[in-house]
mmCIF file of all heavy atoms in Angstrom:
data_model
loop_
_atom_site.group_PDB
_atom_site.id
_atom_site.type_symbol
_atom_site.label_atom_id
_atom_site.label_comp_id
_atom_site.label_asym_id
_atom_site.label_seq_id
_atom_site.Cartn_x
_atom_site.Cartn_y
_atom_site.Cartn_z
ATOM 1 N N VAL A 280 20.860 40.552 7.636
ATOM 2 C CA VAL A 280 20.518 40.958 6.218
ATOM 3 C C VAL A 280 19.828 42.310 6.206
ATOM 4 O O VAL A 280 18.887 42.353 7.009
ATOM 5 C CB VAL A 280 19.816 39.877 5.425
ATOM 6 C CG1 VAL A 280 19.346 40.382 4.103
ATOM 7 C CG2 VAL A 280 20.680 38.607 5.254
ATOM 8 N N GLN A 281 20.205 43.212 5.486
ATOM 9 C CA GLN A 281 19.582 44.504 5.426
ATOM 10 C C GLN A 281 18.627 44.546 4.137
ATOM 11 O O GLN A 281 19.130 44.416 3.047
ATOM 12 C CB GLN A 281 20.587 45.647 5.403
ATOM 13 C CG GLN A 281 21.532 45.636 6.616
ATOM 14 C CD GLN A 281 20.731 45.885 7.943
ATOM 15 O OE1 GLN A 281 19.808 46.767 7.964
ATOM 16 N NE2 GLN A 281 21.171 45.178 8.867
ATOM 17 N N VAL A 282 17.319 44.759 4.382
ATOM 18 C CA VAL A 282 16.446 44.733 3.187
ATOM 19 C C VAL A 282 16.790 45.827 2.133
ATOM 20 O O VAL A 282 16.676 45.663 1.032
ATOM 21 C CB VAL A 282 14.996 44.949 3.734
ATOM 22 C CG1 VAL A 282 14.043 45.114 2.548
ATOM 23 C CG2 VAL A 282 14.621 43.812 4.628
ATOM 24 N N GLU A 283 17.211 47.058 2.663
ATOM 25 C CA GLU A 283 17.533 48.118 1.806
ATOM 26 C C GLU A 283 18.635 47.692 0.820
ATOM 27 O O GLU A 283 18.632 47.990 -0.292
ATOM 28 C CB GLU A 283 18.048 49.278 2.548
ATOM 29 C CG GLU A 283 18.358 50.519 1.741
ATOM 30 C CD GLU A 283 18.755 51.760 2.553
ATOM 31 O OE1 GLU A 283 18.797 51.641 3.766
ATOM 32 O OE2 GLU A 283 18.912 52.813 1.922
ATOM 33 N N ARG A 284 19.677 46.987 1.300
ATOM 34 C CA ARG A 284 20.743 46.454 0.367
ATOM 35 C C ARG A 284 20.286 45.509 -0.563
ATOM 36 O O ARG A 284 20.739 45.426 -1.739
ATOM 37 C CB ARG A 284 21.829 45.844 1.274
ATOM 38 C CG ARG A 284 22.750 46.833 2.038
ATOM 39 C CD ARG A 284 23.561 47.773 1.235
ATOM 40 N NE ARG A 284 24.447 47.088 0.389
ATOM 41 C CZ ARG A 284 25.590 46.469 0.668
ATOM 42 N NH1 ARG A 284 26.053 46.495 1.997
ATOM 43 N NH2 ARG A 284 26.337 45.840 -0.181
ATOM 44 N N CYS A 285 19.302 44.590 -0.110
ATOM 45 C CA CYS A 285 18.746 43.625 -1.092
ATOM 46 C C CYS A 285 18.103 44.252 -2.229
ATOM 47 O O CYS A 285 18.093 43.820 -3.403
ATOM 48 C CB CYS A 285 17.694 42.715 -0.326
ATOM 49 S SG CYS A 285 18.407 41.792 1.020
ATOM 50 N N LEU A 286 17.459 45.427 -1.956
ATOM 51 C CA LEU A 286 16.689 46.125 -2.975
ATOM 52 C C LEU A 286 17.602 46.970 -3.900
ATOM 53 O O LEU A 286 17.378 47.177 -5.083
ATOM 54 C CB LEU A 286 15.627 47.043 -2.370
ATOM 55 C CG LEU A 286 14.501 46.381 -1.659
ATOM 56 C CD1 LEU A 286 13.675 47.306 -0.832
ATOM 57 C CD2 LEU A 286 13.559 45.639 -2.608
ATOM 58 N N GLU A 287 18.684 47.417 -3.290
ATOM 59 C CA GLU A 287 19.569 48.393 -4.083
ATOM 60 C C GLU A 287 20.534 47.649 -5.014
ATOM 61 O O GLU A 287 20.804 48.073 -6.087
ATOM 62 C CB GLU A 287 20.327 49.335 -3.048
ATOM 63 C CG GLU A 287 19.351 50.268 -2.452
ATOM 64 C CD GLU A 287 20.172 51.201 -1.381
ATOM 65 O OE1 GLU A 287 21.327 50.844 -1.114
ATOM 66 O OE2 GLU A 287 19.495 52.165 -0.949
ATOM 67 N N ASP A 288 21.298 46.723 -4.383
ATOM 68 C CA ASP A 288 22.382 46.064 -5.139
ATOM 69 C C ASP A 288 22.497 44.538 -4.706
ATOM 70 O O ASP A 288 23.521 44.181 -4.145
ATOM 71 C CB ASP A 288 23.722 46.807 -4.958
ATOM 72 C CG ASP A 288 24.067 46.909 -3.514
ATOM 73 O OD1 ASP A 288 23.219 46.605 -2.611
ATOM 74 O OD2 ASP A 288 25.232 47.307 -3.214
ATOM 75 N N ALA A 289 21.491 43.850 -5.126
ATOM 76 C CA ALA A 289 21.354 42.390 -4.609
ATOM 77 C C ALA A 289 22.593 41.554 -4.987
ATOM 78 O O ALA A 289 23.070 40.817 -4.233
ATOM 79 C CB ALA A 289 20.096 41.809 -5.143
ATOM 80 N N ALA A 290 23.098 41.716 -6.275
ATOM 81 C CA ALA A 290 24.145 40.925 -6.763
ATOM 82 C C ALA A 290 25.469 41.127 -5.952
ATOM 83 O O ALA A 290 26.126 40.170 -5.438
ATOM 84 C CB ALA A 290 24.412 41.155 -8.256
ATOM 85 N N SER A 291 25.930 42.389 -5.776
ATOM 86 C CA SER A 291 27.139 42.655 -5.076
ATOM 87 C C SER A 291 26.975 42.266 -3.639
ATOM 88 O O SER A 291 27.867 41.868 -2.940
ATOM 89 C CB SER A 291 27.513 44.171 -5.252
ATOM 90 O OG SER A 291 26.537 44.942 -4.759
#
Side-chain angles (χ1 to χ4, degrees):
V280 171
Q281 301 299 317
V282 175
E283 184 176 3
R284 291 288 309 278
C285 296
L286 293 167
E287 289 178 350
D288 57 348
S291 61

